[in-house]
Amino acid sequence: MAFQIPEGWTAQAYRFALDPTATQERAIRSHCGAARFAHNHMLALVKAVIDQRSAERSYGVPDNEMTPALGWSLAALRKTWNRRKDTVAPWWSANSKEAYNSGLNGLARGLDAWSASRKGARAGAAVGFPRFKPKHRVVDSVRFTTGAIRVDHDRHHVTLPVLGTIHTYESTRKLARRIEAGTARILAATVKYDGRRWYCAFAVIVEAKRMGCRARRSPHPVVGVDVGVKDLLVVAAPDGTEIERIPAPRPLAAAHRKLRRLQRRAARQRGRWDPATGTRQDPSMRWLRTQTQIARIHARVANIRRHELHMVTTGLVRNHDVIVVEDLNVAGMSRRGGAYKRGLNRAISDGALGRIRTQLGYKTTWNNARLVTADRWFPSTQTCSRCQAKTKLALRDRTYYCRNGCPPIDRDTNAAINLARLGETTEHGGVSRTGTGSSPAASDSAGDGCGAIHKTFLTDSAGKAGGIEASTPDFHQLVDTWGLPLRKERLPEMNRHTELTQVTGRA
């Protein structure tokens, strides 16, 4: 039976930078290598059994005479490993049993995901068969779930199985105080190397994490948040007020010049692969030093990005009661395009747009706020925040020009206002017009729909509930700048012509 978080408790992680000695660092790397070895050995065994049974099946061997199948669950893999470890890994006693269990757990989850994806029981993109973990191409990590896992009383040491007591760079008082008060319990600890230093992340369940209502809050309880590449967040209220605009930090773009210089240097040095002969080779010390510098830059970029996201999301949940965000398909936004879309894909990845909703999800629970997620097909950008008319926009159009002649407005501000009004509607328990045929009530997921066509149709005014399907546009009233009737096929050009008129002042 899976572990259930008790009522009134919540899951949280505490991460501390470790300062191990040279002996302790060798022991940590040994544990990471043991986890990798167990994963690769059992994966090879699973593949061998699958291939053998497939060959026997092609030869017409009866099922009762075929090679016995190998279980893919963690318990089955661990049982098989325990029978074979004395032969394949006579040095296994030098490391904690949790190191081997960590590698087997990753393999079991990978096989389960692959099997569920093949059967169609797993949503998302297709999952491939698990791969072997090379020594120099994977992140060193190991997970401990049993044994001596604790935070010491001096607030500057942590204790892990077999590894012993390790010094930390920063104080562990926040977690230690909760453990001493009996309001927190450690479930597991993961040690990981990010290219600069070792970290220990504790998986903890915390009691009564909810924070009380704060006296000083923003005068706008309901806000809409539009995320983007140029501006990380644009926050607006339902009344049309732009509350905050946070530019994207873009840490990878800032470090791109230095990374490019180091990677070019590494390409001229002796690496692990000889392109002339197509074989492996021992790298030079200079190449290893260059790779260390590259890894440190990537680690610093990740830390800056993580810090900025935590700062902006914490500020949102502490100042507002209801926050509305979009359900963006970030992976789909940066999946295709090749060299033509390389810069945009890099900027999307640099912004880490998908983490914003994840952090708001658990931080709203801690701060007595509520998160409303708009449907992925909610037309927040195409809908005018003044008259609710819809206008097609290209990605290059940064200013929204309404097809009904409303004053120009920033594209991101317009989207944030529409999201805020969606949250205001759901807060009062009403029905929100999402443009997708759905009618969300007072729920945290607005605009999920009920089988409607998720497509944006152009409407001639906001007053006609049925849109184009329920009424015929009055072409005597809808005319363009030259006084000609505005047909349906000419509607997408309205935004471009209106923009030209606003700039030049002439029709």
Side-chain angles (χ1 to χ4, degrees):
M1 183 177 179
F3 174 77
Q4 299 290 336
I5 299 178
E7 185 70 24
W9 291 59
T10 183
Q12 188 178 354
Y14 289 84
R15 194 178 77 146
F16 306 102
L18 299 179
D19 181 24
T21 63
T23 303
Q24 290 174 338
E25 185 173 1
R26 286 194 297 268
I28 295 175
R29 292 189 182 276
S30 177
H31 279 69
C32 296
R36 186 174 57 251
F37 179 86
H39 176 278
N40 292 340
H41 175 76
M42 293 306 299
L43 177 58
L45 182 61
V46 168
K47 294 184 67 175
V49 171
I50 292 177
D51 295 340
Q52 179 65 23
R53 289 176 60 88
S54 178
E56 292 174 351
R57 190 176 295 107
S58 64
Y59 298 151
V61 178
D63 293 343
N64 57 350
E65 299 180 4
M66 293 176 60
T67 301
L70 183 64
W72 292 355
S73 65
L74 176 59
L77 292 176
R78 188 190 300 136
K79 186 176 181 180
T80 305
W81 165 258
N82 289 333
R83 290 199 305 263
R84 300 171 60 89
K85 64 183 180 182
D86 290 329
T87 303
V88 300
W91 39 262
W92 66 268
S93 59
N95 302 305
S96 172
K97 65 181 181 63
E98 288 297 306
Y100 310 102
N101 186 76
S102 177
L104 298 178
N105 184 35
L107 176 60
R109 290 187 288 108
L111 291 171
D112 181 69
W114 172 73
S115 177
S117 180
R118 288 189 63 191
K119 298 176 182 178
R122 188 180 190 276
V127 178
F129 193 79
R131 300 180 181 180
F132 293 101
K133 293 184 177 182
K135 178 179 180 181
H136 302 290
R137 300 183 68 88
V138 297
V139 178
D140 289 336
S141 65
V142 61
R143 182 179 176 87
F144 301 93
T145 56
T146 60
I149 306 175
R150 65 175 181 268
V151 177
D152 290 3
H153 297 287
D154 63 353
R155 308 290 198 266
H156 278 282
H157 289 85
V158 297
T159 301
L160 300 174
V162 178
L163 298 177
T165 302
I166 305 176
H167 183 260
T168 60
Y169 280 107
E170 50 196 334
S171 175
T172 61
R173 60 181 180 274
K174 290 186 178 180
L175 177 58
R177 289 171 180 172
R178 287 188 171 273
I179 294 177
E180 293 173 358
T183 59
R185 183 159 65 95
I186 298 177
L187 302 180
T190 302
V191 180
K192 185 177 181 180
Y193 186 70
D194 71 341
R196 299 181 65 189
R197 55 175 61 98
W198 291 93
Y199 287 91
C200 180
F202 292 99
V204 186
I205 55 173
V206 182
E207 182 184 9
K209 183 60 181 176
R210 287 178 177 269
M211 299 182 182
C213 296
R214 302 179 183 275
R216 297 183 60 184
R217 276 187 177 260
S218 172
H220 306 282
V222 181
V223 294
V225 179
D226 181 76
V227 300
V229 175
K230 181 180 179 181
D231 295 314
L232 181 62
L233 295 180
V234 177
V235 186
D239 59 359
T241 304
E242 182 179 312
I243 302 173
E244 191 175 11
R245 180 180 292 265
I246 302 174
R250 303 182 66 184
L252 181 61
H256 191 254
R257 183 177 180 180
K258 186 179 295 185
L259 277 174
R260 182 166 48 190
R261 177 176 56 83
L262 290 175
Q263 288 167 350
R264 286 178 177 177
R265 178 193 300 175
R268 295 190 297 266
Q269 295 169 343
R270 178 186 174 92
R272 299 187 185 279
W273 182 260
D274 186 3
T277 60
T279 57
R280 295 181 181 179
Q281 61 183 2
D282 293 333
S284 64
M285 294 302 296
R286 292 183 179 180
W287 183 87
L288 292 176
R289 284 196 296 266
T290 304
Q291 294 300 319
T292 301
Q293 294 176 1
I294 293 174
R296 289 179 176 178
I297 292 177
H298 280 295
R300 183 176 184 274
V301 167
N303 290 336
I304 293 175
R305 183 185 298 119
R306 185 184 300 110
H307 171 76
E308 294 293 336
L309 292 180
H310 276 295
M311 291 294 291
V312 297
T313 52
T314 301
L316 283 174
V317 298
R318 289 185 176 181
N319 294 325
H320 307 286
D321 297 330
V322 180
I323 304 170
V324 188
V325 295
E326 290 180 296
D327 181 18
L328 295 177
N329 183 17
V330 181
M333 293 167 59
S334 59
R335 181 171 298 169
R336 297 178 180 178
Y340 175 76
K341 196 165 159 282
R342 182 185 304 158
L344 179 60
N345 292 344
R346 186 187 298 117
I348 293 174
S349 301
D350 193 9
L353 306 182
R355 294 186 184 179
I356 296 177
R357 188 165 70 94
T358 302
Q359 293 184 7
L360 289 176
Y362 61 83
K363 290 184 180 181
T364 49
T365 305
W366 296 349
N367 294 269
N368 291 330
R370 190 162 68 94
L371 178 65
V372 178
T373 304
D375 181 51
R376 183 169 295 179
W377 301 96
F378 178 70
S380 60
T381 302
Q382 300 178 4
T383 305
C384 179
S385 58
R386 281 70 56 87
C387 66
Q388 302 302 311
K390 296 178 185 176
T391 304
K392 291 286 187 178
L393 290 179
L395 185 61
R396 64 179 179 271
D397 298 329
R398 306 313 304 170
T399 303
Y400 185 91
Y401 294 101
C402 178
R403 54 191 297 271
N404 286 346
C406 297
I409 187 174
D410 181 77
R411 173 196 183 113
D412 299 332
T413 304
N414 179 73
I417 294 172
N418 290 327
L419 291 172
R421 289 174 180 171
L422 177 64
E424 191 178 44
T425 304
T426 56
E427 182 187 25
H428 297 295
V431 176
S432 172
R433 178 174 179 271
T434 64
T436 60
S438 57
S439 55
S443 63
D444 289 342
S445 181
D448 290 336
C450 50
I453 299 176
H454 288 175
K455 185 177 179 181
T456 302
F457 294 97
L458 293 170
T459 58
D460 56 333
S461 67
K464 300 177 181 179
I468 285 179
E469 299 178 356
S471 61
T472 303
D474 186 0
F475 294 108
H476 297 286
Q477 297 179 1
L478 290 177
V479 295
D480 59 11
T481 309
W482 292 276
L484 299 177
L486 192 60
R487 300 287 179 177
K488 268 196 310 184
E489 57 271 14
R490 298 184 57 190
L491 291 180
E493 300 294 332
M494 186 65 181
N495 184 59
R496 185 186 308 172
H497 174 71
T498 309
E499 181 177 358
L500 180 61
T501 303
Q502 296 288 341
V503 173
T504 61
R506 296 181 298 175

